[in-house]
Amino acid sequence: MKRINELFDVKEDFKVVSIHSDSRYVAKDSVFFCVDGLSVDGHKYIEDAVFQGAKCIVYSKPLTYKHNKVLYIKVDNVLDELNRVADLFYDQPSYKMTMMGVTGSSGKTVVALMIKEVLSHYLKMGYIGTNSIEYAGIVEQSPYTTPETIFLQRHLNEMVRRQVKGVTLEVSSHGLALKRVDGLHFDIAIFTNVYEEHLDFHGTMEHLMASKAKLFSLVDEKGYAILNNDEVKFCHFIKDSVRCHILTYGIDHQANIMAKNIQLFIDHSEFDLQINNELRHMSVPVLGRFNISNILAVIASLIALEMPIDQVLASIGFIQNVDGRMELLKHPYPFHVIIDYCQHAKSFEKVFEFAKSVQKNGRIIAVFGAPGKKNYKKREKIGKLANEYCDQVILTAEDNRDEDIYDICLDIQEYIEKPIHVIIEDRRIAIEQAIEIANEGDIILILGKGHEQYMASAVGNQPYPGDKYIALKAIKEIFGRGKENEI
């Protein structure tokens, strides 16, 4: 709880129990911020907020009526004021922990969770991102990759209360553009990569990169920017504007931390780690060249935290696979099943390239679809990639929203010619079918959902057991009854 004159420069003095930007959650003795968002203007809900007990309204547009016992505060930008006040209301939690933000088109979840996993062996850590919110033994669902300001500050405050010392936060380009983290203080900002994504929102690649670059402006001069030198365009775009220390990592371009002599296997990866002209051989339980890059980002972050090199190298042994991110399922049969979140066409390409590089005598069987009402160009791109890399393709549901699943699959199928390809709308049956046809040496790729246990439909998110559960259940039912003798 705060007093109103602790939050604003006003003469009034009354208690503030909560702050809100959504009128549905307003309660007695609260402040309501009239945020003018992408689809909803908070000014339209002032009367609802007052009816539910708001004692203060923060607004920016002209109002036709004001209640006598309600304080109205006019500002130039409500969202900027919300960031300032939320930080104060929750006692500036980001200044009381080591804050590490991870931005990039892909790899955010893997890097953020790996850093959290490694550092958890030394201190209490928290994580907020696509997969969940995790701290002090608590695991919750996150509404967005980067939650909105009040939600975020409230959870960071709760972490401080529970003696959490460090937090890894996935910071999306949307979250940056919509000012969700403007009120936070970061000690380390990590950049993974940038692809053509969300251009319906950002407009151009320059605007997209500018959104991601904004994270580094929230790091003070004593902090660190961890940059992927293989992403040459972004590094040129940002380097002159970074005011903090810089540590770089890379595979193809010279950097402070590098991976050389990479060897990829179906169940792990090996490489020589170069730091300060010294080479150390590393074996890590992650799949794909792109995940080697993610490992380097983790190593760079640990070095930025002033961890001794020997301890950094020992700590990499704590790294485990992240759920739904190039996850190789464990089972006793002679074929392989990999589940990956795979949200971008570039991610599909990298997964297919990995499968091709470790394929020996089997087929590449891919199960995937495309989300409805999003990035229609992606369907052509992933169809062409499947045509180039796969032996068999099963097209299926993936968050169709209010678009017809079959029509989405037809859009993809138009670009598939060489592989055997079918449409099975029910994702459960599609996965079961892929398992059913598995032969020795086959690699089955189940792409697009990863860790998620819901399907986005026209009526909202519908429960879904998850790709991993369905695949393991199918393996047990199909091969557990004796079919292993057939392969």
Side-chain angles (χ1 to χ4, degrees):
M1 186 184 76
K2 289 285 190 290
R3 309 299 297 183
I4 192 69
N5 51 21
E6 293 180 90
L7 303 176
F8 301 93
D9 185 15
V10 295
K11 62 183 179 181
E12 287 82 0
D13 183 15
F14 55 81
K15 68 180 180 180
V16 175
V17 175
S18 59
I19 60 175
H20 304 277
S21 60
D22 188 330
S23 63
R24 293 172 296 179
Y25 305 111
V26 169
K28 185 182 177 183
D29 298 328
S30 63
V31 178
F32 177 63
F33 291 83
C34 305
V35 175
D36 190 359
L38 292 175
S39 58
V40 177
D41 183 356
H43 291 81
K44 296 179 179 180
Y45 300 93
I46 291 175
E47 292 301 304
D48 291 347
V50 171
F51 179 76
Q52 291 178 203
K55 290 186 70 173
C56 176
I57 303 295
V58 181
Y59 69 103
S60 61
K61 295 181 178 180
L63 302 181
T64 57
Y65 181 80
K66 293 182 180 180
H67 294 267
N68 289 331
K69 295 183 179 181
V70 176
L71 174 63
Y72 291 82
I73 300 176
K74 187 174 183 180
V75 297
D76 292 331
N77 188 300
V78 175
L79 194 52
D80 287 345
E81 192 69 356
L82 172 60
N83 275 293
R84 184 190 70 80
V85 172
D87 190 37
L88 288 175
F89 186 82
Y90 290 106
D91 298 321
Q92 299 184 301
S94 64
Y95 288 86
K96 299 174 181 177
M97 299 179 288
T98 298
M99 287 292 301
M100 291 169 276
V102 187
T103 194
S105 296
S106 67
K108 295 188 295 295
T109 303
V110 170
V111 171
L113 280 171
M114 283 183 176
I115 294 173
K116 185 247 180 190
E117 178 65 31
V118 168
L119 291 179
S120 290
H121 289 79
Y122 306 103
L123 68 161
K124 273 193 173 183
M125 286 293 298
Y127 157 79
I128 300 175
T130 307
N131 274 29
S132 58
I133 298 168
E134 302 176 13
Y135 62 98
I138 296 168
V139 179
E140 300 177 17
Q141 291 300 307
S142 180
Y144 303 103
T145 295
T146 308
E148 57 85 24
T149 302
I150 296 173
F151 182 99
L152 192 52
Q153 292 279 16
R154 185 170 68 248
H155 279 79
L156 291 175
N157 177 261
E158 184 60 27
M159 289 183 188
V160 171
R161 289 181 63 249
R162 292 177 179 267
Q163 289 81 50
V164 171
K165 302 302 181 184
V167 181
T168 56
L169 171 66
E170 292 185 48
V171 189
S172 67
S173 58
H174 279 79
L176 286 158
L178 297 173
K179 301 186 175 183
R180 291 175 183 167
V181 297
D182 278 20
L184 301 186
H185 166 268
F186 288 92
D187 299 284
I188 295 175
I190 304 156
F191 166 71
T192 58
N193 48 52
V194 61
Y195 310 147
E196 286 191 12
E197 54 155 347
H198 309 310
L199 296 188
D200 55 334
F201 176 79
H202 294 285
T204 65
M205 281 296 291
E206 284 68 27
H207 289 154
L208 170 61
M209 289 194 293
S211 290
K212 294 187 183 300
K214 182 181 174 183
L215 174 63
F216 299 88
S217 70
L218 303 174
V219 182
D220 65 30
E221 294 178 358
K222 295 179 182 179
Y224 274 87
I226 310 295
L227 301 178
N228 182 357
N229 258 10
D230 291 335
E231 294 285 325
V232 177
K233 189 174 182 179
F234 184 82
C235 288
H236 284 309
F237 183 85
I238 192 178
K239 274 188 177 178
D240 291 338
S241 62
V242 175
R243 57 178 180 156
C244 59
H245 303 294
I246 294 176
L247 264 180
T248 59
Y249 66 95
I251 296 173
D252 299 316
H253 292 79
Q254 189 63 37
N256 301 122
I257 296 119
M258 297 191 70
K260 298 187 174 183
N261 306 318
I262 295 172
Q263 293 179 286
L264 302 177
F265 302 92
I266 189 64
D267 59 351
H268 74 287
S269 303
E270 297 184 19
F271 63 96
D272 290 329
L273 175 67
Q274 179 178 306
I275 305 176
N276 300 329
N277 296 318
E278 271 190 55
L279 287 179
R280 310 280 187 96
H281 189 72
M282 306 290 291
S283 179
V284 288
V286 300
L287 310 185
R289 183 181 172 91
F290 53 95
N291 267 328
I292 300 297
S293 185
N294 292 332
I295 293 285
L296 296 180
V298 175
I299 291 171
S301 302
L302 299 180
I303 292 173
L305 290 170
E306 300 183 352
M307 186 179 284
I309 298 297
D310 287 342
Q311 188 176 10
V312 170
L313 299 179
S315 297
I316 298 304
F318 297 138
I319 285 178
Q320 299 177 0
N321 249 335
V322 175
D323 285 348
R325 301 306 198 275
M326 289 301 284
E327 184 176 4
L328 180 69
L329 299 190
K330 294 180 180 179
H331 63 83
Y333 306 106
F335 60 89
H336 309 286
V337 181
I338 295 172
I339 291 173
D340 191 66
Y341 191 51
C342 221
Q343 291 296 289
H344 310 293
K346 191 69 175 177
S347 300
F348 274 82
E349 183 176 14
K350 289 182 175 182
V351 172
F352 288 152
E353 284 177 348
F354 166 74
K356 202 72 173 177
S357 71
V358 296
Q359 181 189 32
K360 293 183 178 178
N361 57 355
R363 300 165 296 171
I364 296 175
I365 303 169
V367 180
F368 63 90
K373 302 298 182 183
K374 286 181 72 176
N375 193 358
Y376 296 99
K377 291 182 180 179
K378 174 183 173 182
R379 300 174 191 181
E380 175 183 349
K381 291 177 181 178
I382 61 179
K384 288 180 176 178
L385 287 167
N387 188 62
E388 179 180 354
Y389 287 98
C390 298
D391 298 293
Q392 294 191 218
V393 176
I394 301 176
L395 300 173
T396 190
E398 183 196 320
D399 298 326
N400 62 297
R401 296 178 173 85
D402 57 353
E403 207 174 339
D404 186 80
I405 297 171
Y406 193 76
D407 289 343
I408 294 172
C409 293
L410 283 177
D411 287 346
I412 304 169
Q413 193 176 44
E414 181 181 347
Y415 302 97
I416 302 175
E417 297 176 0
K418 292 185 290 184
I420 298 170
H421 50 93
V422 296
I423 296 174
I424 301 177
E425 295 183 50
D426 188 313
R427 193 173 179 96
R428 296 173 180 81
I429 298 174
I431 293 171
E432 290 166 358
Q433 184 61 44
I435 303 297
E436 178 75 45
I437 63 173
N439 290 324
E440 185 172 349
D442 287 349
I443 300 173
I444 300 172
L445 305 173
I446 305 174
L447 309 176
K449 292 297 291 178
H451 67 289
E452 292 179 341
Q453 293 184 307
Y454 67 86
M455 280 283 187
S457 70
V459 295
N461 290 345
Q462 301 295 304
Y464 171 69
D467 290 348
K468 179 177 180 178
Y469 173 83
I470 293 169
L472 288 174
K473 185 171 183 287
I475 290 169
K476 183 177 180 180
E477 290 180 352
I478 294 168
F479 294 99
R481 61 173 183 248
K483 195 186 172 188
E484 64 265 28
N485 295 325
E486 298 175 24
I487 61 174

